[in-house]
Amino acid sequence: MYYYLENLIEGKGETVCPGGSTAPFGLGKKKRVNLLGLGDVGGTLLTGLKLLGEDVIESIGVFSSGNAARRYEYEMNQTAYPWDYDRLPEVEIIEREELFDCDAFVFCASKSVPAVGAEVVDVRMVQFEANRDIVKEYAQLARKKKFQGLFAVVSDPVDPLCRAAFEESNKDESGITDGKGLKPAQIRGYGLGVMNSRAAYYAKREPRFRSFLTEGRAFGPHGNDLVIANSIAHYDDALSKELTKLAVEANLKTREIGYKPYIAPALSSGAISLLLTLRGEWHYSSSYLGGVFLGARNRVTAEGTELESLPLPEALYRRIEHAYRELTRIV
């Protein structure tokens, strides 16, 4: 018997294109992107958008504490092709109140990142409570500005923070939910891209996992409940769980050699996945499904989010269902 991701929302009265019938930005035109937070992840993500986004990004606004915005405006605008000085998008410093004057807002702010050497199994969940307060602030600002574009969450843990952004933006000043904030389809989480890339890293180096490169998929959150499938058509549960463990623990390998693991997430989950989203191409991100934001392969169309619909073996579906249930418990 086979299952589909849509089975997760049976009885909930939802579809696979929730939250509206149109894309949260205009497909086929260049976009204005505004970015909040220029730490390790934000700065690297900005570099990726600048260098790779010339076809889909018109300009990039940046807002951050300290002198980070001045630094990146200075250096990014000195990054150019010779004799073709307007080829790459311009980077501009903006004020807080201008953050939602754009097609796509990128949330890269983060308050707490455990130091290298700290005994932490899942760094992402350590960050949740601190970063939830920050995302609440900007979700409410998006509400105030009546923002209609893409609200992209890159800070960890992306999936619970997406849910927090949705819930907080839809509360009035008294804390009563009124549904006048961000629509579910406007919010996407960017954490699964790097988990997919980490699985591919190991698949290229170990012949047992090689099927992942042509037949595999990634599902679920950017964290311990990640689901990697070695293949959809020839699913091997034990092999898939082994590859999942390698992908989940890849960040710890980087920390073991003395570095924070932010480059691959900023580029694979951040810049590359965001650009694919803005182009309307298939990518990995978390979208709204049955009350939570769950990662899967999808694309944005003129009609809304198109979630890849695949016949899933029962063992694989049950793993995804478990990840879904765990996400519903994080509030």
Side-chain angles (χ1 to χ4, degrees):
M1 182 175 181
Y2 288 95
Y3 296 80
Y4 295 83
L5 287 180
E6 297 93 304
N7 294 131
L8 292 171
I9 58 174
E10 283 184 348
K12 295 180 181 291
E14 296 183 8
T15 70
V16 294
C17 293
S21 60
T22 58
F25 50 82
L27 293 170
K29 71 179 185 69
K30 288 194 175 184
K31 287 84 176 172
R32 167 68 172 196
V33 177
N34 285 347
L35 190 153
L36 169 69
L38 289 169
D40 292 336
V41 171
T44 305
L45 190 154
L46 172 63
T47 303
L49 294 180
K50 169 81 176 184
L51 294 177
L52 302 175
E54 61 180 272
D55 65 313
V56 74
I57 296 178
E58 181 178 15
S59 61
I60 306 170
V62 293
F63 176 77
S64 188
S65 60
N67 288 323
R70 292 178 62 190
R71 173 201 177 189
Y72 278 99
E73 186 279 333
Y74 192 67
E75 297 211 65
M76 287 294 98
N77 291 327
Q78 294 175 25
T79 302
Y81 285 88
W83 312 293
D84 195 359
Y85 302 115
D86 295 324
R87 178 171 172 178
L88 301 180
E90 191 82 0
V91 174
E92 304 168 359
I93 299 173
I94 59 175
E95 299 298 326
R96 179 179 178 276
E97 291 298 315
E98 299 176 284
L99 275 168
F100 292 99
D101 297 335
C102 62
D103 299 292
F105 164 77
V106 186
F107 180 85
C108 288
S110 184
K111 183 179 290 186
S112 175
V113 179
V116 172
E119 297 298 323
V120 178
V121 175
D122 192 345
V123 174
R124 303 168 193 91
M125 295 314 298
V126 175
Q127 297 173 268
F128 180 43
E129 287 306 318
N131 289 345
R132 181 176 182 173
D133 290 339
I134 306 174
V135 85
K136 174 182 177 180
E137 174 187 347
Y138 289 96
Q140 291 177 340
L141 180 59
R143 171 194 172 95
K144 176 183 175 182
K145 296 290 238 177
K146 295 180 170 48
F147 182 57
Q148 298 299 311
L150 173 67
F151 191 109
V153 177
V154 178
S155 299
D156 282 325
V158 299
D159 313 271
L161 287 177
C162 284
R163 183 177 175 184
F166 171 57
E167 292 177 349
E168 296 298 338
S169 77
N170 281 284
K171 293 178 181 178
D172 65 16
E173 294 180 356
S174 302
I176 298 173
T177 299
D178 60 9
K180 296 181 180 179
L182 296 168
K183 295 183 288 291
Q186 288 182 255
I187 306 169
R188 306 180 88 80
Y190 291 88
L192 191 56
V194 73
M195 306 310 272
N196 179 73
S197 296
R198 285 169 174 166
Y201 172 88
Y202 288 105
K204 288 195 289 185
R205 287 157 179 77
E206 173 55 65
R208 294 184 303 115
F209 302 131
R210 196 62 53 84
S211 62
F212 177 81
L213 299 174
T214 54
E215 303 173 11
R217 290 291 188 275
F219 302 92
H222 175 56
N224 287 337
D225 288 318
L226 171 73
V227 176
I228 296 293
N230 74 300
S231 167
I232 299 297
H234 307 95
Y235 180 69
D236 184 315
D237 196 54
L239 198 65
S240 294
K241 288 178 178 176
E242 186 179 349
L243 185 55
T244 299
K245 187 173 187 294
L246 288 170
V248 169
E249 296 180 354
N251 64 320
L252 300 181
K253 297 294 184 183
T254 306
R255 295 176 74 86
E256 284 174 4
I257 59 173
Y259 295 92
K260 293 179 182 178
Y262 65 84
I263 297 176
L267 296 176
S268 289
S269 289
I272 292 172
S273 296
L274 274 164
L275 290 172
L276 290 173
T277 303
L278 297 177
R279 292 174 184 138
E281 298 181 20
W282 290 103
H283 68 281
Y284 281 111
S285 66
S286 297
S287 57
Y288 188 82
L289 194 67
V292 302
F293 287 81
L294 183 76
R297 188 171 183 257
N298 70 89
R299 65 179 175 180
V300 176
T301 72
E303 289 73 38
T305 299
E306 179 183 357
L307 195 65
E308 183 180 44
S309 185
L310 292 172
L312 305 171
E314 183 172 1
L316 173 58
Y317 176 80
R318 295 305 174 196
R319 291 179 64 201
I320 300 170
E321 184 181 41
H322 172 78
Y324 170 82
R325 300 296 179 200
E326 290 301 306
L327 283 170
T328 65
R329 295 187 177 98
I330 302 174
V331 294

